[in-house]
Amino acid sequence: MTRELHSERLVLRPWTAQDAAGAIGVYGAAEVARWLSPAMDRVADPAAMRRVLEKWIAEDAGLIVPGGRWAVESRETGGVVGGATLLPLSPDEAYEMGWQLRPGAWGRGYATEAGLAVARWAFAQGLEEVIALVRPGNRRAAATVERIGMEWVGETDKYHRLRLQEYRLRPGDLPPA
């Protein structure tokens, strides 16, 4: 069961099917969808987004803590500005964290803030390491993982059937809260 997480400006909470209108601003944006891993097509409309959210909600019910998927909500506006994930990865039992923001929310530090909230949650639940996978050329994501304090591991093709840049974070790498 996904738990609610809080940071200075954000609330990370479980998705609901009623979030489709806000989520389409994230996953319906071509400039977001092109960088997703695993690869996911741009969501075409609110009805399709609702189906995706319902699938994620059902999958979350079977996740073991600390795994989860979160709607990232602005404390100031109460609106959905993005999504965040912490999901187990095969084949090696790693946990991958990720974040996606609607383009209008870019450049405000929300991705770093959401990433840090997820990492702190993961480590508080006993994980000793989390990874992030970045598509080559995604400069925004690469800059975010560096701001979070993640360490470059190298390129890999063992996840999501894609060639990706792998970063890792351990509890001692986190900046002070």
Side-chain angles (χ1 to χ4, degrees):
M1 180 73 173
T2 300
R3 305 295 199 287
E4 195 168 279
L5 310 177
H6 297 267
S7 66
E8 182 180 341
R9 300 175 299 156
L10 304 172
V11 175
L12 284 69
R13 59 169 177 74
W15 286 106
T16 69
Q18 291 73 36
D19 289 321
I24 195 76
V26 182
Y27 301 99
E31 58 267 54
V32 174
R34 71 183 289 223
W35 298 114
L36 295 175
S37 58
M40 181 174 139
D41 291 334
R42 182 182 74 78
V43 180
D45 57 58
M49 187 74 249
R50 185 180 189 90
R51 288 189 299 275
V52 169
L53 290 175
E54 288 169 348
K55 178 181 178 239
W56 289 351
I57 292 163
E59 289 173 356
D60 269 9
L63 285 177
I64 297 171
V65 171
R69 288 184 180 90
W70 293 267
V72 177
E73 187 176 277
S74 163
R75 284 184 184 234
E76 181 181 344
T77 67
V80 172
V81 296
T85 57
L86 181 65
L87 298 172
L89 265 179
S90 296
D92 55 7
E93 307 300 318
Y95 270 81
E96 176 189 9
M97 62 183 231
W99 49 87
Q100 306 79 40
L101 297 177
R102 64 179 170 78
W106 292 356
R108 298 181 185 169
Y110 291 155
T112 302
E113 193 171 326
L116 286 168
V118 169
R120 287 187 174 105
W121 160 254
F123 297 144
Q125 303 311 305
L127 288 186
E128 295 180 12
E129 177 178 281
V130 293
I131 67 169
L133 300 169
V134 175
R135 285 185 182 238
N138 188 344
R139 291 188 193 107
R140 286 182 173 282
T144 299
V145 296
E146 289 173 11
R147 283 190 297 274
I148 291 171
M150 299 187 92
E151 175 186 352
W152 164 259
V153 175
E155 289 200 359
T156 183
D157 59 4
K158 72 179 179 176
Y159 304 113
H160 308 304
R161 298 182 183 163
L162 296 167
R163 185 119 191 105
L164 300 164
Q165 298 171 345
E166 182 177 351
Y167 295 82
R168 94 171 143 227
L169 185 69
R170 294 182 175 139
D173 301 329
L174 276 176

